[in-house]
């Protein structure tokens, strides 16, 4: 193979637009659209993308391909070594603060770790990691978080359990964990966040949405400051009040992002419930075994990643197989599709055991990896496991059958289990 990277052909760019870029917008980048999820699931765009990426890997020996992305030339990563290079690489080279993110949610999430770069990012990284204990599975607030999860899950006993009902209970968990019990019933905070995320779906291309985001951000910030001021023990707000904080940290904005990021876990929770409902043997194994139940949750988000595409931007020029990639180039890691790579063991099967076997498969990165990995990953998995565990304690759940070879997409918003 000659040196250098190939560029996608016009036909390949059209196919990528139809299976990767457009479906992400239709489904909703920052909050799922029921109609968009239903449409893309019906069209099975992810299965088409998996096949397209397999063909590109075969044709180009696994090397990245330069494609036409929403903001211009984009590096599309296709292989395990290159996924590791990008995700495990320095955030001073592959920065998370892409143009799309800044344009879409910068109006209410500026100063957050997600949108930071340079020296300020380092300061914010240390602060966020300290509060979230991001390197440990045993957080200082584990007991209070588990208690909140179990108490709210107990309100779901009896009757069918669909996405909307579970999401409302999980939102109460998240508000209690981040801001304390005083925020439990602040549904207005959740409603404002939902609307902010919806404006972000337009990626800053609609002026009315941008103006609306600015207006909502003022209300959102005011409510967050009110909740943070209580500094309730047993909440992240309480830890924040006791943690040293430099002015450039922007603590209130970090807490605003945690609320949004923590909320996404409900998709994995519902997917795990649907999988366990369809597999009684796995459900029996998970009941009363938090480690196995956590593995089930991890496997659910591996199969159907809540964030199927990870994006970075090159902060400096980089060399890729003899091709110079200039600073400011978008880099796309289609992690949702790569986790279903047909060359892996059991890519389309529910196999939670692999998360207990100590394997480290670089392509399994539903929470990203390296410097850009979600700092609240362990907290989300721990709290989500407690929530799931309490649901299963109330009795076995039943649901629609799912085949052994699981579909590439599932309409999470329509999932429902029964007792």
């Amino acid at each position: 193979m000659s040196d250098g990277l190939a560029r996608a052909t016009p036909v390949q760019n059209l196919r990528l637009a139809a299976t990767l870029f457009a479906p992400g917008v239709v489904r909703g980048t920052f909050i799922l659209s029921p109609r968009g999820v239903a449409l893309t699931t019906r069209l099975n765009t992810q299965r088409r993308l998996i096949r397209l990426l397999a063909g590109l890997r075969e044709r180009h020996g696994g090397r990245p391909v330069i494609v036409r992305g929403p903001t211009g030339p984009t590096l599309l990563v296709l292989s395990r070594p290159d996924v590791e290079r990008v995700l495990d690489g320095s955030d001073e080279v592959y920065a998370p603060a892409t143009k799309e993110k800044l344009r879409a949610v910068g109006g209410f999430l500026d100063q957050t770790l997600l949108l930071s770069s340079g020296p300020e990012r380092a300061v914010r990284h240390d602060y966020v990691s300290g509060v979230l204990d991001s390197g440990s599975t045993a957080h200082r607030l584990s007991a209070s978080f588990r208690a909140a999860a179990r108490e709210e899950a107990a309100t779901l006993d009896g009757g069918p359990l669909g996405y909307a009902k579970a999401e409302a209970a999980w939102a109460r968990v998240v508000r209690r964990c981040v801001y304390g019990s005083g925020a439990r019933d602040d549904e207005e905070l959740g409603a404002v966040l939902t609307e902010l995320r919806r404006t972000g779906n337009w990626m800053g291309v609609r002026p009315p949405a941008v103006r609306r985001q600015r207006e909502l951000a003022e209300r959102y910030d005011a409510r967050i400051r009110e909740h943070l001021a209580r500094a309730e023990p047993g909440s992240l707000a309480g830890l924040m009040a006791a943690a040293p904080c430099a002015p450039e940290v922007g603590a209130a904005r970090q807490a605003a992002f945690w609320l949004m990021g923590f909320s996404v876990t409900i998709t994995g929770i519902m997917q795990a419930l649907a999988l366990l409902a369809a597999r009684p043997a796995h459900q029996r194994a998970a009941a009363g075994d938090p480690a196995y139940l956590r593995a089930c949750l991890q496997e659910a988000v591996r199969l159907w990643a809540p964030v199927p595409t990870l994006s970075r931007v090159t902060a400096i020029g980089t060399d890729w197989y003899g091709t110079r990639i200039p600073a400011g180039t978008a880099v796309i890691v289609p992690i949702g599709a790569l986790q279903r790579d047909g060359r892996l063991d059991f890519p389309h099967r529910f196999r939670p055991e692999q998360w207990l076997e100590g394997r480290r498969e670089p392509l399994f990165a539903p929470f990203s990896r390296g410097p850009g990995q979600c700092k609240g990953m362990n907290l989300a998995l721990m709290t989500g496991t407690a929530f799931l565990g309490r649901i299963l304690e109330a009795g076995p759940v039943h649901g629609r059958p799912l085949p052994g070879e699981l579909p590439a997409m599932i309409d999470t918003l329509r999932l429902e289990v029964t007792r």
Side-chain angles (χ1 to χ4, degrees), residues 108-114 116 120 123-125 127-128 221 224-225 228 240 244-258:
F108 72 103
L109 292 181
D110 63 313
Q111 302 179 36
T112 61
L113 195 57
L114 176 73
S116 300
E120 288 183 340
V123 174
R124 291 165 183 165
H125 178 278
Y127 175 83
V128 170
D221 289 346
I224 286 174
R225 285 193 294 268
L228 288 177
M240 291 171 66
C245 181
E248 60 268 33
V249 164
R253 285 296 169 93
Q254 308 306 331
F257 180 53
W258 298 339

PDB file of all heavy atoms in Angstrom, residues 108-114 116 120 123-125 127-128 221 224-225 228 240 244-258:
ATOM      1  N   PHE A 108     -24.579  27.599  27.011  1.00  0.00           N
ATOM      2  CA  PHE A 108     -24.883  27.286  28.418  1.00  0.00           C
ATOM      3  C   PHE A 108     -23.894  26.311  29.050  1.00  0.00           C
ATOM      4  O   PHE A 108     -23.980  26.019  30.244  1.00  0.00           O
ATOM      5  CB  PHE A 108     -26.317  26.752  28.573  1.00  0.00           C
ATOM      6  CG  PHE A 108     -26.554  25.357  28.045  1.00  0.00           C
ATOM      7  CD1 PHE A 108     -26.653  24.272  28.901  1.00  0.00           C
ATOM      8  CD2 PHE A 108     -26.704  25.125  26.688  1.00  0.00           C
ATOM      9  CE1 PHE A 108     -26.890  22.990  28.424  1.00  0.00           C
ATOM     10  CE2 PHE A 108     -26.960  23.848  26.197  1.00  0.00           C
ATOM     11  CZ  PHE A 108     -27.047  22.779  27.067  1.00  0.00           C
ATOM     12  N   LEU A 109     -22.922  25.824  28.256  1.00  0.00           N
ATOM     13  CA  LEU A 109     -21.930  24.914  28.816  1.00  0.00           C
ATOM     14  C   LEU A 109     -20.505  25.405  28.586  1.00  0.00           C
ATOM     15  O   LEU A 109     -19.555  24.618  28.675  1.00  0.00           O
ATOM     16  CB  LEU A 109     -22.101  23.503  28.225  1.00  0.00           C
ATOM     17  CG  LEU A 109     -23.372  22.741  28.615  1.00  0.00           C
ATOM     18  CD1 LEU A 109     -23.389  21.374  27.978  1.00  0.00           C
ATOM     19  CD2 LEU A 109     -23.516  22.630  30.133  1.00  0.00           C
ATOM     20  N   ASP A 110     -20.344  26.691  28.268  1.00  0.00           N
ATOM     21  CA  ASP A 110     -18.989  27.214  28.174  1.00  0.00           C
ATOM     22  C   ASP A 110     -18.317  27.103  29.543  1.00  0.00           C
ATOM     23  O   ASP A 110     -18.998  27.070  30.573  1.00  0.00           O
ATOM     24  CB  ASP A 110     -19.002  28.671  27.698  1.00  0.00           C
ATOM     25  CG  ASP A 110     -19.711  29.590  28.678  1.00  0.00           C
ATOM     26  OD1 ASP A 110     -20.809  29.224  29.118  1.00  0.00           O
ATOM     27  OD2 ASP A 110     -19.169  30.663  28.998  1.00  0.00           O
ATOM     28  N   GLN A 111     -17.031  27.025  29.564  1.00  0.00           N
ATOM     29  CA  GLN A 111     -16.215  26.822  30.767  1.00  0.00           C
ATOM     30  C   GLN A 111     -16.221  25.377  31.257  1.00  0.00           C
ATOM     31  O   GLN A 111     -15.440  25.033  32.149  1.00  0.00           O
ATOM     32  CB  GLN A 111     -16.642  27.733  31.926  1.00  0.00           C
ATOM     33  CG  GLN A 111     -16.594  29.226  31.621  1.00  0.00           C
ATOM     34  CD  GLN A 111     -17.043  30.051  32.814  1.00  0.00           C
ATOM     35  OE1 GLN A 111     -16.770  29.703  33.960  1.00  0.00           O
ATOM     36  NE2 GLN A 111     -17.727  31.144  32.547  1.00  0.00           N
ATOM     37  N   THR A 112     -17.087  24.528  30.729  1.00  0.00           N
ATOM     38  CA  THR A 112     -17.090  23.138  31.183  1.00  0.00           C
ATOM     39  C   THR A 112     -15.871  22.419  30.628  1.00  0.00           C
ATOM     40  O   THR A 112     -15.240  22.850  29.665  1.00  0.00           O
ATOM     41  CB  THR A 112     -18.355  22.399  30.728  1.00  0.00           C
ATOM     42  OG1 THR A 112     -18.411  22.398  29.301  1.00  0.00           O
ATOM     43  CG2 THR A 112     -19.601  23.057  31.278  1.00  0.00           C
ATOM     44  N   LEU A 113     -15.565  21.283  31.231  1.00  0.00           N
ATOM     45  CA  LEU A 113     -14.438  20.483  30.775  1.00  0.00           C
ATOM     46  C   LEU A 113     -14.640  20.060  29.321  1.00  0.00           C
ATOM     47  O   LEU A 113     -13.689  19.990  28.541  1.00  0.00           O
ATOM     48  CB  LEU A 113     -14.287  19.257  31.678  1.00  0.00           C
ATOM     49  CG  LEU A 113     -12.978  18.483  31.593  1.00  0.00           C
ATOM     50  CD1 LEU A 113     -11.791  19.379  31.892  1.00  0.00           C
ATOM     51  CD2 LEU A 113     -13.010  17.299  32.545  1.00  0.00           C
ATOM     52  N   LEU A 114     -15.884  19.793  28.946  1.00  0.00           N
ATOM     53  CA  LEU A 114     -16.212  19.376  27.581  1.00  0.00           C
ATOM     54  C   LEU A 114     -15.734  20.385  26.549  1.00  0.00           C
ATOM     55  O   LEU A 114     -15.281  20.006  25.465  1.00  0.00           O
ATOM     56  CB  LEU A 114     -17.729  19.194  27.454  1.00  0.00           C
ATOM     57  CG  LEU A 114     -18.270  18.859  26.059  1.00  0.00           C
ATOM     58  CD1 LEU A 114     -17.928  17.421  25.701  1.00  0.00           C
ATOM     59  CD2 LEU A 114     -19.775  19.082  25.998  1.00  0.00           C
ATOM     60  N   SER A 116     -13.390  22.916  27.042  1.00  0.00           N
ATOM     61  CA  SER A 116     -12.175  23.610  27.458  1.00  0.00           C
ATOM     62  C   SER A 116     -10.962  23.109  26.694  1.00  0.00           C
ATOM     63  O   SER A 116     -10.917  21.975  26.226  1.00  0.00           O
ATOM     64  CB  SER A 116     -11.936  23.408  28.959  1.00  0.00           C
ATOM     65  OG  SER A 116     -13.006  23.916  29.718  1.00  0.00           O
ATOM     66  N   GLU A 120      -6.471  26.248  30.913  1.00  0.00           N
ATOM     67  CA  GLU A 120      -7.723  26.233  31.677  1.00  0.00           C
ATOM     68  C   GLU A 120      -8.302  24.832  31.762  1.00  0.00           C
ATOM     69  O   GLU A 120      -8.872  24.448  32.782  1.00  0.00           O
ATOM     70  CB  GLU A 120      -8.738  27.181  31.043  1.00  0.00           C
ATOM     71  CG  GLU A 120      -8.412  28.655  31.233  1.00  0.00           C
ATOM     72  CD  GLU A 120      -9.479  29.550  30.662  1.00  0.00           C
ATOM     73  OE1 GLU A 120     -10.256  29.071  29.804  1.00  0.00           O
ATOM     74  OE2 GLU A 120      -9.554  30.729  31.067  1.00  0.00           O
ATOM     75  N   VAL A 123      -6.646  22.906  34.637  1.00  0.00           N
ATOM     76  CA  VAL A 123      -7.147  23.316  35.954  1.00  0.00           C
ATOM     77  C   VAL A 123      -8.533  22.714  36.187  1.00  0.00           C
ATOM     78  O   VAL A 123      -8.826  22.185  37.276  1.00  0.00           O
ATOM     79  CB  VAL A 123      -7.194  24.851  36.061  1.00  0.00           C
ATOM     80  CG1 VAL A 123      -7.854  25.281  37.367  1.00  0.00           C
ATOM     81  CG2 VAL A 123      -5.787  25.433  35.966  1.00  0.00           C
ATOM     82  N   ARG A 124      -9.388  22.806  35.190  1.00  0.00           N
ATOM     83  CA  ARG A 124     -10.751  22.270  35.337  1.00  0.00           C
ATOM     84  C   ARG A 124     -10.742  20.752  35.444  1.00  0.00           C
ATOM     85  O   ARG A 124     -11.559  20.171  36.172  1.00  0.00           O
ATOM     86  CB  ARG A 124     -11.601  22.730  34.149  1.00  0.00           C
ATOM     87  CG  ARG A 124     -11.871  24.230  34.172  1.00  0.00           C
ATOM     88  CD  ARG A 124     -12.389  24.768  32.866  1.00  0.00           C
ATOM     89  NE  ARG A 124     -12.549  26.230  32.951  1.00  0.00           N
ATOM     90  CZ  ARG A 124     -12.702  27.026  31.904  1.00  0.00           C
ATOM     91  NH1 ARG A 124     -12.716  26.521  30.677  1.00  0.00           N
ATOM     92  NH2 ARG A 124     -12.846  28.326  32.077  1.00  0.00           N
ATOM     93  N   HIS A 125      -9.834  20.113  34.724  1.00  0.00           N
ATOM     94  CA  HIS A 125      -9.731  18.657  34.782  1.00  0.00           C
ATOM     95  C   HIS A 125      -9.418  18.200  36.206  1.00  0.00           C
ATOM     96  O   HIS A 125     -10.035  17.265  36.731  1.00  0.00           O
ATOM     97  CB  HIS A 125      -8.647  18.183  33.821  1.00  0.00           C
ATOM     98  CG  HIS A 125      -8.427  16.696  33.824  1.00  0.00           C
ATOM     99  ND1 HIS A 125      -7.641  16.070  34.769  1.00  0.00           N
ATOM    100  CD2 HIS A 125      -8.905  15.711  33.017  1.00  0.00           C
ATOM    101  CE1 HIS A 125      -7.638  14.768  34.545  1.00  0.00           C
ATOM    102  NE2 HIS A 125      -8.399  14.524  33.489  1.00  0.00           N
ATOM    103  N   TYR A 127      -9.981  19.782  38.999  1.00  0.00           N
ATOM    104  CA  TYR A 127     -11.110  20.069  39.884  1.00  0.00           C
ATOM    105  C   TYR A 127     -12.217  19.028  39.705  1.00  0.00           C
ATOM    106  O   TYR A 127     -12.707  18.449  40.688  1.00  0.00           O
ATOM    107  CB  TYR A 127     -11.653  21.467  39.594  1.00  0.00           C
ATOM    108  CG  TYR A 127     -12.902  21.806  40.388  1.00  0.00           C
ATOM    109  CD1 TYR A 127     -12.799  22.266  41.694  1.00  0.00           C
ATOM    110  CD2 TYR A 127     -14.170  21.651  39.832  1.00  0.00           C
ATOM    111  CE1 TYR A 127     -13.937  22.569  42.437  1.00  0.00           C
ATOM    112  CE2 TYR A 127     -15.309  21.947  40.559  1.00  0.00           C
ATOM    113  CZ  TYR A 127     -15.190  22.404  41.861  1.00  0.00           C
ATOM    114  OH  TYR A 127     -16.316  22.692  42.577  1.00  0.00           O
ATOM    115  N   VAL A 128     -12.599  18.778  38.471  1.00  0.00           N
ATOM    116  CA  VAL A 128     -13.680  17.832  38.191  1.00  0.00           C
ATOM    117  C   VAL A 128     -13.300  16.433  38.653  1.00  0.00           C
ATOM    118  O   VAL A 128     -14.103  15.725  39.279  1.00  0.00           O
ATOM    119  CB  VAL A 128     -14.020  17.846  36.686  1.00  0.00           C
ATOM    120  CG1 VAL A 128     -14.957  16.690  36.334  1.00  0.00           C
ATOM    121  CG2 VAL A 128     -14.656  19.172  36.296  1.00  0.00           C
ATOM    122  N   ASP A 221     -28.965  28.947  34.833  1.00  0.00           N
ATOM    123  CA  ASP A 221     -27.888  29.337  35.736  1.00  0.00           C
ATOM    124  C   ASP A 221     -28.432  29.800  37.083  1.00  0.00           C
ATOM    125  O   ASP A 221     -27.864  29.493  38.144  1.00  0.00           O
ATOM    126  CB  ASP A 221     -27.048  30.458  35.114  1.00  0.00           C
ATOM    127  CG  ASP A 221     -26.198  29.969  33.954  1.00  0.00           C
ATOM    128  OD1 ASP A 221     -26.049  28.747  33.802  1.00  0.00           O
ATOM    129  OD2 ASP A 221     -25.690  30.816  33.190  1.00  0.00           O
ATOM    130  N   ILE A 224     -29.493  26.814  39.147  1.00  0.00           N
ATOM    131  CA  ILE A 224     -28.339  26.040  39.593  1.00  0.00           C
ATOM    132  C   ILE A 224     -27.633  26.740  40.750  1.00  0.00           C
ATOM    133  O   ILE A 224     -27.261  26.102  41.748  1.00  0.00           O
ATOM    134  CB  ILE A 224     -27.372  25.803  38.414  1.00  0.00           C
ATOM    135  CG1 ILE A 224     -27.968  24.760  37.470  1.00  0.00           C
ATOM    136  CG2 ILE A 224     -26.002  25.346  38.907  1.00  0.00           C
ATOM    137  CD1 ILE A 224     -27.196  24.544  36.213  1.00  0.00           C
ATOM    138  N   ARG A 225     -27.450  28.046  40.634  1.00  0.00           N
ATOM    139  CA  ARG A 225     -26.796  28.782  41.728  1.00  0.00           C
ATOM    140  C   ARG A 225     -27.591  28.654  43.027  1.00  0.00           C
ATOM    141  O   ARG A 225     -27.025  28.534  44.119  1.00  0.00           O
ATOM    142  CB  ARG A 225     -26.633  30.251  41.336  1.00  0.00           C
ATOM    143  CG  ARG A 225     -25.528  30.501  40.324  1.00  0.00           C
ATOM    144  CD  ARG A 225     -25.199  31.984  40.221  1.00  0.00           C
ATOM    145  NE  ARG A 225     -26.310  32.739  39.665  1.00  0.00           N
ATOM    146  CZ  ARG A 225     -26.450  32.989  38.371  1.00  0.00           C
ATOM    147  NH1 ARG A 225     -25.552  32.536  37.498  1.00  0.00           N
ATOM    148  NH2 ARG A 225     -27.480  33.705  37.934  1.00  0.00           N
ATOM    149  N   LEU A 228     -26.880  25.133  44.363  1.00  0.00           N
ATOM    150  CA  LEU A 228     -25.506  25.006  44.837  1.00  0.00           C
ATOM    151  C   LEU A 228     -25.309  25.732  46.163  1.00  0.00           C
ATOM    152  O   LEU A 228     -24.509  25.302  47.007  1.00  0.00           O
ATOM    153  CB  LEU A 228     -24.534  25.568  43.794  1.00  0.00           C
ATOM    154  CG  LEU A 228     -24.338  24.750  42.504  1.00  0.00           C
ATOM    155  CD1 LEU A 228     -23.399  25.468  41.552  1.00  0.00           C
ATOM    156  CD2 LEU A 228     -23.803  23.359  42.820  1.00  0.00           C
ATOM    157  N   MET A 240     -18.578  20.244  46.375  1.00  0.00           N
ATOM    158  CA  MET A 240     -18.057  21.419  45.682  1.00  0.00           C
ATOM    159  C   MET A 240     -17.806  22.565  46.649  1.00  0.00           C
ATOM    160  O   MET A 240     -16.823  23.298  46.527  1.00  0.00           O
ATOM    161  CB  MET A 240     -19.040  21.853  44.594  1.00  0.00           C
ATOM    162  CG  MET A 240     -19.135  20.879  43.434  1.00  0.00           C
ATOM    163  SD  MET A 240     -20.490  21.306  42.316  1.00  0.00           S
ATOM    164  CE  MET A 240     -19.897  22.875  41.663  1.00  0.00           C
ATOM    165  N   PRO A 244     -11.332  23.290  47.117  1.00  0.00           N
ATOM    166  CA  PRO A 244     -10.662  24.500  46.630  1.00  0.00           C
ATOM    167  C   PRO A 244     -11.007  24.731  45.164  1.00  0.00           C
ATOM    168  O   PRO A 244     -11.026  23.784  44.366  1.00  0.00           O
ATOM    169  CB  PRO A 244      -9.172  24.176  46.806  1.00  0.00           C
ATOM    170  CG  PRO A 244      -9.126  23.062  47.803  1.00  0.00           C
ATOM    171  CD  PRO A 244     -10.388  22.283  47.608  1.00  0.00           C
ATOM    172  N   CYS A 245     -11.293  25.973  44.823  1.00  0.00           N
ATOM    173  CA  CYS A 245     -11.800  26.248  43.471  1.00  0.00           C
ATOM    174  C   CYS A 245     -11.230  27.559  42.951  1.00  0.00           C
ATOM    175  O   CYS A 245     -11.552  28.633  43.480  1.00  0.00           O
ATOM    176  CB  CYS A 245     -13.328  26.284  43.489  1.00  0.00           C
ATOM    177  SG  CYS A 245     -14.067  26.586  41.877  1.00  0.00           S
ATOM    178  N   ALA A 246     -10.395  27.473  41.922  1.00  0.00           N
ATOM    179  CA  ALA A 246      -9.856  28.678  41.293  1.00  0.00           C
ATOM    180  C   ALA A 246     -10.948  29.348  40.470  1.00  0.00           C
ATOM    181  O   ALA A 246     -11.885  28.682  40.002  1.00  0.00           O
ATOM    182  CB  ALA A 246      -8.682  28.308  40.395  1.00  0.00           C
ATOM    183  N   PRO A 247     -10.868  30.661  40.264  1.00  0.00           N
ATOM    184  CA  PRO A 247     -11.921  31.374  39.516  1.00  0.00           C
ATOM    185  C   PRO A 247     -12.164  30.810  38.126  1.00  0.00           C
ATOM    186  O   PRO A 247     -13.306  30.785  37.651  1.00  0.00           O
ATOM    187  CB  PRO A 247     -11.387  32.809  39.456  1.00  0.00           C
ATOM    188  CG  PRO A 247     -10.464  32.926  40.620  1.00  0.00           C
ATOM    189  CD  PRO A 247      -9.837  31.576  40.785  1.00  0.00           C
ATOM    190  N   GLU A 248     -11.082  30.355  37.465  1.00  0.00           N
ATOM    191  CA  GLU A 248     -11.244  29.883  36.088  1.00  0.00           C
ATOM    192  C   GLU A 248     -11.918  28.518  35.987  1.00  0.00           C
ATOM    193  O   GLU A 248     -12.228  28.055  34.883  1.00  0.00           O
ATOM    194  CB  GLU A 248      -9.894  29.824  35.374  1.00  0.00           C
ATOM    195  CG  GLU A 248      -8.863  28.907  35.994  1.00  0.00           C
ATOM    196  CD  GLU A 248      -7.958  29.616  36.986  1.00  0.00           C
ATOM    197  OE1 GLU A 248      -8.435  30.549  37.653  1.00  0.00           O
ATOM    198  OE2 GLU A 248      -6.784  29.219  37.104  1.00  0.00           O
ATOM    199  N   VAL A 249     -12.172  27.864  37.120  1.00  0.00           N
ATOM    200  CA  VAL A 249     -12.822  26.549  37.086  1.00  0.00           C
ATOM    201  C   VAL A 249     -14.240  26.640  36.554  1.00  0.00           C
ATOM    202  O   VAL A 249     -14.701  25.770  35.804  1.00  0.00           O
ATOM    203  CB  VAL A 249     -12.810  25.919  38.501  1.00  0.00           C
ATOM    204  CG1 VAL A 249     -13.820  24.758  38.585  1.00  0.00           C
ATOM    205  CG2 VAL A 249     -11.422  25.413  38.834  1.00  0.00           C
ATOM    206  N   GLY A 250     -14.971  27.700  36.923  1.00  0.00           N
ATOM    207  CA  GLY A 250     -16.362  27.805  36.494  1.00  0.00           C
ATOM    208  C   GLY A 250     -17.202  26.695  37.092  1.00  0.00           C
ATOM    209  O   GLY A 250     -17.877  25.948  36.380  1.00  0.00           O
ATOM    210  N   ALA A 251     -17.171  26.573  38.416  1.00  0.00           N
ATOM    211  CA  ALA A 251     -17.786  25.430  39.100  1.00  0.00           C
ATOM    212  C   ALA A 251     -19.264  25.265  38.773  1.00  0.00           C
ATOM    213  O   ALA A 251     -19.749  24.144  38.595  1.00  0.00           O
ATOM    214  CB  ALA A 251     -17.595  25.568  40.612  1.00  0.00           C
ATOM    215  N   ALA A 252     -20.008  26.360  38.702  1.00  0.00           N
ATOM    216  CA  ALA A 252     -21.444  26.252  38.428  1.00  0.00           C
ATOM    217  C   ALA A 252     -21.692  25.621  37.067  1.00  0.00           C
ATOM    218  O   ALA A 252     -22.637  24.832  36.897  1.00  0.00           O
ATOM    219  CB  ALA A 252     -22.099  27.632  38.513  1.00  0.00           C
ATOM    220  N   ARG A 253     -20.867  25.965  36.096  1.00  0.00           N
ATOM    221  CA  ARG A 253     -21.048  25.379  34.767  1.00  0.00           C
ATOM    222  C   ARG A 253     -20.656  23.895  34.749  1.00  0.00           C
ATOM    223  O   ARG A 253     -21.251  23.105  34.017  1.00  0.00           O
ATOM    224  CB  ARG A 253     -20.247  26.175  33.733  1.00  0.00           C
ATOM    225  CG  ARG A 253     -20.899  27.527  33.385  1.00  0.00           C
ATOM    226  CD  ARG A 253     -22.248  27.297  32.709  1.00  0.00           C
ATOM    227  NE  ARG A 253     -23.058  28.489  32.578  1.00  0.00           N
ATOM    228  CZ  ARG A 253     -23.063  29.284  31.505  1.00  0.00           C
ATOM    229  NH1 ARG A 253     -22.264  29.040  30.491  1.00  0.00           N
ATOM    230  NH2 ARG A 253     -23.866  30.331  31.456  1.00  0.00           N
ATOM    231  N   GLN A 254     -19.655  23.522  35.560  1.00  0.00           N
ATOM    232  CA  GLN A 254     -19.328  22.094  35.642  1.00  0.00           C
ATOM    233  C   GLN A 254     -20.529  21.322  36.177  1.00  0.00           C
ATOM    234  O   GLN A 254     -20.903  20.267  35.657  1.00  0.00           O
ATOM    235  CB  GLN A 254     -18.113  21.870  36.562  1.00  0.00           C
ATOM    236  CG  GLN A 254     -16.875  22.695  36.258  1.00  0.00           C
ATOM    237  CD  GLN A 254     -16.382  22.571  34.835  1.00  0.00           C
ATOM    238  OE1 GLN A 254     -16.564  21.556  34.177  1.00  0.00           O
ATOM    239  NE2 GLN A 254     -15.749  23.639  34.343  1.00  0.00           N
ATOM    240  N   ALA A 255     -21.163  21.856  37.226  1.00  0.00           N
ATOM    241  CA  ALA A 255     -22.326  21.201  37.820  1.00  0.00           C
ATOM    242  C   ALA A 255     -23.496  21.155  36.837  1.00  0.00           C
ATOM    243  O   ALA A 255     -24.287  20.207  36.838  1.00  0.00           O
ATOM    244  CB  ALA A 255     -22.741  21.908  39.104  1.00  0.00           C
ATOM    245  N   ALA A 256     -23.604  22.177  36.006  1.00  0.00           N
ATOM    246  CA  ALA A 256     -24.656  22.182  34.979  1.00  0.00           C
ATOM    247  C   ALA A 256     -24.443  21.039  33.998  1.00  0.00           C
ATOM    248  O   ALA A 256     -25.392  20.356  33.581  1.00  0.00           O
ATOM    249  CB  ALA A 256     -24.657  23.526  34.251  1.00  0.00           C
ATOM    250  N   PHE A 257     -23.197  20.812  33.626  1.00  0.00           N
ATOM    251  CA  PHE A 257     -22.897  19.733  32.683  1.00  0.00           C
ATOM    252  C   PHE A 257     -23.105  18.370  33.317  1.00  0.00           C
ATOM    253  O   PHE A 257     -23.568  17.429  32.670  1.00  0.00           O
ATOM    254  CB  PHE A 257     -21.467  19.884  32.173  1.00  0.00           C
ATOM    255  CG  PHE A 257     -21.061  18.817  31.199  1.00  0.00           C
ATOM    256  CD1 PHE A 257     -21.829  18.555  30.071  1.00  0.00           C
ATOM    257  CD2 PHE A 257     -19.915  18.062  31.403  1.00  0.00           C
ATOM    258  CE1 PHE A 257     -21.465  17.567  29.163  1.00  0.00           C
ATOM    259  CE2 PHE A 257     -19.543  17.072  30.503  1.00  0.00           C
ATOM    260  CZ  PHE A 257     -20.320  16.826  29.386  1.00  0.00           C
ATOM    261  N   TRP A 258     -22.753  18.238  34.613  1.00  0.00           N
ATOM    262  CA  TRP A 258     -22.955  16.947  35.270  1.00  0.00           C
ATOM    263  C   TRP A 258     -24.418  16.547  35.239  1.00  0.00           C
ATOM    264  O   TRP A 258     -24.751  15.373  35.054  1.00  0.00           O
ATOM    265  CB  TRP A 258     -22.469  17.006  36.718  1.00  0.00           C
ATOM    266  CG  TRP A 258     -21.007  17.302  36.848  1.00  0.00           C
ATOM    267  CD1 TRP A 258     -20.039  17.126  35.884  1.00  0.00           C
ATOM    268  CD2 TRP A 258     -20.332  17.837  37.991  1.00  0.00           C
ATOM    269  NE1 TRP A 258     -18.814  17.526  36.363  1.00  0.00           N
ATOM    270  CE2 TRP A 258     -18.963  17.963  37.654  1.00  0.00           C
ATOM    271  CE3 TRP A 258     -20.758  18.222  39.258  1.00  0.00           C
ATOM    272  CZ2 TRP A 258     -18.017  18.456  38.542  1.00  0.00           C
ATOM    273  CZ3 TRP A 258     -19.821  18.714  40.148  1.00  0.00           C
ATOM    274  CH2 TRP A 258     -18.459  18.835  39.804  1.00  0.00           C
TER     275      TRP A 258
END
